[in-house]
Amino acid sequence: QVQLVESGGGLVQAGGSLRVSCAASGRTFNIYAMAWFRQARGKEREFVSAITRSSGDTYYTDSVKGRFTISRDNAKNTVYLQMNSLAPEDSAVYYCAARYYSGIYGNPREYGYWGQGTQVTVSS
């Protein structure tokens, strides 16, 4: 019922910045929150950040706090992840996800919809 499309990934030098976007379409009105997860080669998918649709409350994993900023444009049903001070360890496929209720935002099992991902590569 909901489609998520990520964009904005690419190659960036260490220390640089990149902004990825996730546009939701379909029946988006009841989405409670949207989030970003990432998965590096050979690694488990991990939570990055989340934002609630109504209040704009934000959540971050410790490794990105202070460097990444999540935001949303509800009129466009779009969330953004501004990534600054990027390091090679940030290289991963970044996935956006949507959920319909509050809970443990870092738990991927609580998200009902996922995008296909966008590759972010940070060179040394």
Side-chain angles (χ1 to χ4, degrees):
Q1 293 183 347
V2 174
Q3 297 82 45
L4 304 175
V5 180
E6 302 97 334
S7 62
L11 177 65
V12 64
Q13 188 176 348
S17 298
L18 199 65
R19 188 180 75 160
V20 291
S21 303
C22 178
S25 60
R27 291 187 172 271
T28 62
F29 190 77
N30 292 130
I31 292 174
Y32 185 84
M34 295 179 68
W36 289 96
F37 289 77
R38 66 186 181 186
Q39 187 167 20
R41 285 286 184 179
K43 301 295 184 181
E44 188 174 298
R45 186 171 299 190
E46 67 171 346
F47 172 74
V48 178
S49 185
I51 186 166
T52 61
R53 183 181 60 82
S54 59
S55 64
D57 293 339
T58 59
Y59 306 85
Y60 299 92
T61 191
D62 287 343
S63 64
V64 308
K65 193 173 181 65
R67 299 188 298 124
F68 291 9
T69 302
I70 192 170
S71 61
R72 88 257 197 249
D73 184 337
N74 287 343
K76 295 182 178 180
N77 291 312
T78 300
V79 296
Y80 307 91
L81 185 68
Q82 177 67 46
M83 301 180 287
N84 298 327
S85 300
L86 284 163
E89 51 263 41
D90 295 314
S91 296
V93 177
Y94 282 70
Y95 299 91
C96 63
R99 62 188 292 152
Y100 291 93
Y101 51 89
S102 63
I104 307 299
Y105 294 112
N107 182 4
R109 296 289 295 177
E110 296 186 3
Y111 292 81
Y113 298 94
W114 294 83
Q116 293 298 309
T118 186
Q119 177 71 53
V120 173
T121 303
V122 184
S123 62
S124 301

